Amino acid sequence: MSAKLEAKTLQSASPRRKGTSRISNALRYFVLAMILCLVLIPVYVLIVTSFKSGAEVSPASAWSLPKDWNVDNWMRAWNALKGGIGRSLILVIPSSIISAMLGSANGFVLSRWKFPGANIVFTLILFGMFIPYQAVMIPLMKLVVGAGQALGVTPFGIPALMVLHIVYGVPICTLIFRNYYESVPEELVEAARVDGAGMLRTYFSVVLPISVTSFVVVIIWQFTQAWNDFLFALFFGGSAQTGPVTLALNELAHGSIMADYGGSMAGALIASAPTLLVYIFLGKYFVSGMMSGSVKG
């Protein structure tokens, strides 16, 4: 009798649960759709404004579609930014790879070699993450100028920016790799030692091949940071003709008497395309790499 009563209770409760689940799912999707709309509103304004002529661009018509769709803004923006895009690629690709390699080596040593003061060294490296760029810009400028004079080279341009981004990228790369290598089973490293492999052989033959996801994480991070950087570029990049794409984009926006809103919008979309493509093609590896590096800290 009690079993039949329980069965009837479950049957009557099941439709209620399904109804509650449908309502909760509908609310969840509604909230996500609203957030998506808020995120995409600036993108919509960027796109429609980039196809408008100068006479159509005004705050009153920011939401309206162009009356005459044209690509003049895009052609003008591309001609102004193509040199900067090439220089930015020359900057961000080596700096991302080099800082990733240095961070990987640091992370492996700090996670597997418990030498005296290892935690202090790790803390000092992480301290570089919390130093604002603005706080060190003046002494850093004096250091770069002095180094350029000592070496007899021009202290501004892509090489100087590359060194700066490598140095400032090492702390975050070290943190990510150290957290990931802490999660690597100790038995794997011990097996390499039993086979006679030293620390370097263990790193290159055992640890490095299984670090692909972490490399994807730090390279995406460094690529984005270096590509979008404007402060370092403004101080050490030289001019728009010798610096990265952010300087060229700034000159496009403020290079004439009248503000070129259409060209600026098209230029912003062009300049953001490389980082967008990186996240589209490598985004899933970025998420999995962040999760694998958060097991231990």
Side-chain angles (χ1 to χ4, degrees), residues 21-31:
S21 177
R22 290 175 182 174
I23 293 174
S24 63
N25 288 336
L27 290 174
R28 188 181 298 113
Y29 289 132
F30 175 77
V31 172

Side-chain angles (χ1 to χ4, degrees), residues 113-239:
W113 186 22
K114 302 301 182 181
F115 58 90
N119 292 331
I120 297 176
V121 172
F122 180 58
T123 303
L124 292 176
I125 293 176
L126 291 188
F127 185 69
M129 295 173 52
F130 305 101
I131 301 177
Y133 292 174
Q134 299 85 347
V136 297
M137 199 57 64
I138 294 177
L140 191 60
M141 172 67 77
K142 294 181 178 180
L143 177 63
V144 171
V145 172
Q149 292 175 350
L151 297 175
V153 298
T154 303
F156 304 106
I158 297 301
L161 289 174
M162 190 182 301
V163 173
L164 292 174
H165 283 295
I166 290 172
V167 172
Y168 268 86
V170 167
I172 182 65
C173 294
T174 301
L175 173 64
I176 293 174
F177 276 109
R178 180 182 181 273
N179 287 347
Y180 175 73
Y181 292 147
E182 286 282 353
S183 66
V184 174
E186 184 67 28
E187 292 78 8
L188 194 63
V189 179
E190 289 295 333
R193 292 176 181 172
V194 170
D195 291 338
M199 178 174 290
L200 289 178
R201 182 65 180 276
T202 302
Y203 172 71
F204 285 106
S205 300
V206 178
V207 176
L208 197 60
I210 63 175
S211 308
V212 176
T213 55
S214 294
F215 269 99
V216 171
V217 170
V218 298
I219 287 176
I220 290 177
W221 178 270
Q222 283 299 103
F223 186 97
T224 305
Q225 294 296 312
W227 186 275
N228 294 331
D229 170 69
F230 180 71
L231 187 61
F232 275 163
L234 185 62
F235 276 80
F236 305 102
S239 64

